[in-house]
Amino acid sequence: MTGRRTTLSTTLALALAVATAGCASSEPAASSPESSSSAAEPDLAAFGIAGLSGAEAVDTLEAVPVAERSTDLMASVQSTALELTTPDGETSLPLPEDLFYLSVAPYVEQTHPCGFHSLTTCRGELGGEDIDVEVVDEATGETILDETRTAADNGFVGLWLPRDIEATLTVALDGKTSTTSVSTDDDAETCLTTMQLT
């Protein structure tokens, strides 16, 4: 009976961690500057990202259909690194020094709070929709991005933007639009779920 209770407690703790990770927090994940991984190195091959760079792993995991996303992997996009946690351990993959990953989930009716994007648990409303995206550098007026992007199955559009800029982001779908200012410095959040299309 004690063994069952311990297993149940462990399962509930893991479920709570999954439910509160990434989308529910605006605090960055704690990581050690001295080391990019824990003593136990997780096996990333099972998740299709072994040997990939941080940017490649982000793009790969963002594209996985929701039904195929593993519950054994937590993947949190911080401003400068991708933090990965599996039952085997934890590791961190650095992201490009000159690029910042912002994952945007525009919505019409329903959204959720989000600070640092979880590639495995965050869900948006508009999965598979073709969304017009424009990004303009506020300092120079330069248009950095102006194209139609298809939201991933999880409802997010992933944007690799120049680091250390302030920009105006506009998204549009079916005649509805939303505009906001975004930052891409090292203290910026990587998940944006407040853009309501009206």
Side-chain angles (χ1 to χ4, degrees), residues 55-137:
E56 291 169 335
V58 167
D59 289 340
T60 297
L61 293 173
E62 193 83 279
V64 174
V66 168
E68 298 174 19
R69 297 191 180 200
S70 175
T71 57
D72 288 333
L73 175 67
M74 291 299 302
S76 177
V77 183
Q78 305 297 303
S79 58
T80 60
L82 173 62
E83 305 290 343
L84 300 165
T85 303
T86 76
D88 300 325
E90 302 176 3
T91 193
S92 176
L93 301 177
L95 296 179
E97 293 183 1
D98 59 337
L99 295 175
F100 181 92
Y101 189 73
L102 178 64
S103 202
V104 184
Y107 74 100
V108 177
E109 296 178 357
Q110 185 174 332
T111 189
H112 63 278
C114 189
F116 292 90
H117 184 52
S118 170
L119 293 162
T120 45
T121 62
C122 279
R123 300 288 182 270
E125 183 183 66
L126 303 175
E129 295 286 349
D130 291 332
I131 298 171
D132 296 327
V133 180
E134 181 184 64
V135 180
V136 177
D137 188 320

Side-chain angles (χ1 to χ4, degrees), residues 8 41 89:
L8 181 59
E41 190 73 21

Side-chain angles (χ1 to χ4, degrees), residues 9-25:
S9 297
T10 303
T11 302
L12 288 174
L14 181 57
L16 180 61
V18 168
T20 59
C23 287
S25 172

Side-chain angles (χ1 to χ4, degrees), residues 10 33-34 47-48 51 57 73 81 92-93 106 118 120 143 148 161 167 178 184-185 193:
T10 303
E34 292 84 14
F47 311 106
L73 175 67
S92 176
L93 301 177
S118 170
T120 45
T143 299
T148 300
L161 302 174
S178 181
T184 64
D185 61 35
T193 58

Side-chain angles (χ1 to χ4, degrees), residues 137-159:
D137 188 320
E138 292 179 355
T140 66
E142 175 190 359
T143 299
I144 297 168
L145 181 67
D146 185 5
E147 59 187 57
T148 300
R149 295 285 187 91
T150 301
D153 190 40
N154 65 352
F156 281 81
V157 177
L159 306 175

